[in-house]
Amino acid sequence: MEKKNIYLALLILGTAFWGISFSVTKLAIGTNQSALFLCYRFALATIVLSIVFWKHVKNLNLTSIKTGAILGIPLVLGIYLQTLGITHTSASQCSFVAGITVVIIPLLKLVFYKKTASLKIWLAAFTALIGLFVISINDKFNIGIGDLYTIAGAFCFAVYLIQIEKESKAGDIIPTIVPMFATCSILVFLLALGQGNISWVPAQNTFWIGVVFCALFSTAYMYTISNISQKYISAERVSIIYLFEPIFGAIAAHFILGENISSRLLIGGGLVFAATLVSELNLNWRMLNARPILGMLRNKR
């Protein structure tokens, strides 16, 4: 099996972890501050990854530390804003709105890098956008504060994915992973300090279960696989694969939190899933088959 296909499978598994993490995070935060939860989440992920990548940690240089720190800024902003989003809306809706990253990436690449994505990526992106519109906009055509936080986080996450794609193609991305999460840990710790009135050791078991799950599976595992996979898969395609996340998120929210799966969620989710299929279909054969037909038409003239 090609490395690309292996990483595709690993990414889809990771989206299941991410989808579940929306419900786990909502349960874990409770009355606690979002920054405190993320502080422990990133700290534990940094420790675990320092052990896993100890060989690279021992040989860290200034370039890897600097690159990791730069990558950590949009990542932590994206996750922090989406965590705020979870506190103001349902876990299932937040997970679907987060998928707007798939539209933002090709737009940012077009504006800042003058790089145009393929037609099928644009088709997939706007199919996903329609799906997200169906899910997010209520009957009065208003959008909630939780959705706004989540969309802002999606912009930050799009910047992060584009930077990861650039760095992974320039060289080995693995040495930057631990510095990246260490930077995230420091930044959310400073956020937690600034919020005040925090119980630094919450008594709720759900808080610590959430920290462990999110640190190991939706942070350490998923972001490591994501970073390495972008050596073989473009940022646009990775973001479309991530659209499996809200599907898993809606299922998890139903069983863990008892959230209802509305018709709007099903219709929007179906469009999001269709976008994923479009991005992975090979449409070249249609163009190839069209050429003989176009030739015959020209000859008739």
Side-chain angles (χ1 to χ4, degrees):
M1 184 181 291
E2 293 181 4
K3 283 188 177 181
K4 175 186 171 182
N5 294 330
I6 293 172
Y7 282 114
L8 279 172
L10 292 175
L11 280 173
I12 292 172
L13 174 62
T15 61
F17 294 144
W18 265 357
I20 295 169
S21 74
F22 280 91
S23 296
V24 171
T25 299
K26 194 171 182 70
L27 275 177
I29 291 175
T31 58
N32 296 293
Q33 299 282 0
S34 302
L36 178 65
F37 176 81
L38 292 177
C39 182
Y40 285 115
R41 170 181 169 174
F42 281 118
L44 179 56
T46 303
I47 293 168
V48 171
L49 289 170
S50 295
I51 296 170
V52 173
F53 297 115
W54 179 243
K55 181 177 71 173
H56 296 281
V57 173
K58 288 192 300 182
N59 299 315
L60 274 178
N61 54 49
L62 186 59
T63 301
S64 296
I65 294 171
K66 181 181 176 181
T67 302
I70 292 171
L71 292 171
I73 294 171
L75 174 60
V76 75
L77 284 174
I79 294 179
Y80 179 66
L81 288 167
Q82 288 186 3
T83 303
L84 286 179
I86 293 173
T87 63
H88 290 86
T89 188
S90 66
S92 54
Q93 179 149 325
C94 185
S95 65
F96 273 103
V97 175
I100 200 172
T101 300
V102 74
V103 181
I104 297 171
I105 286 177
L107 288 175
L108 289 179
K109 280 192 168 185
L110 181 62
V111 172
F112 293 105
Y113 297 99
K114 310 299 180 186
K115 185 177 180 181
T116 305
S118 65
L119 178 61
K120 70 175 181 180
I121 293 295
W122 283 108
L123 180 60
F126 282 101
T127 301
L129 183 61
I130 295 169
L132 294 169
F133 180 86
V134 171
I135 293 164
S136 304
I137 306 299
N138 61 30
D139 296 334
K140 297 179 180 179
F141 288 91
N142 293 325
I143 187 167
I145 185 66
D147 295 328
L148 291 176
Y149 277 131
T150 306
I151 291 169
F155 268 97
C156 296
F157 197 60
V159 172
Y160 161 76
L161 285 176
I162 292 171
Q163 287 183 314
I164 284 290
E165 181 183 43
K166 180 181 175 182
E167 295 297 336
S168 64
K169 289 180 178 178
D172 189 2
I173 198 74
I174 294 178
T176 68
I177 291 174
V178 172
M180 181 180 73
F181 285 115
T183 300
C184 292
S185 301
I186 293 168
L187 291 175
V188 289
F189 174 70
L190 294 174
L191 280 172
L193 280 178
Q195 291 179 350
N197 298 322
I198 290 181
S199 173
W200 286 95
V201 186
Q204 299 93 331
N205 289 333
T206 52
F207 178 88
W208 298 108
I209 292 170
V211 166
V212 172
F213 178 86
C214 291
L216 296 183
F217 298 104
S218 56
T219 305
Y221 168 85
M222 186 51 174
Y223 285 103
T224 300
I225 292 298
S226 173
N227 288 8
I228 297 172
S229 69
Q230 283 193 246
K231 189 177 182 67
Y232 310 97
I233 309 170
S234 70
E236 294 95 332
R237 181 160 289 184
V238 167
S239 69
I240 291 171
I241 294 167
Y242 286 171
L243 292 177
F244 277 102
E245 172 199 321
I247 296 169
F248 290 119
I251 295 170
H254 177 70
F255 287 102
I256 297 175
L257 301 176
E259 293 183 3
N260 292 325
I261 300 178
S262 65
S263 58
R264 275 175 37 187
L265 203 60
L266 288 172
I267 295 168
L271 288 169
V272 167
F273 184 70
T276 307
L277 295 179
V278 168
S279 74
E280 291 304 314
L281 288 175
N282 186 356
L283 303 180
N284 291 334
W285 65 272
R286 293 184 181 178
M287 298 300 295
L288 291 172
N289 289 343
R291 287 172 187 168
I293 297 172
L294 291 172
M296 290 172 63
L297 291 173
R298 290 193 189 99
N299 292 333
K300 285 183 179 179
R301 291 179 186 176

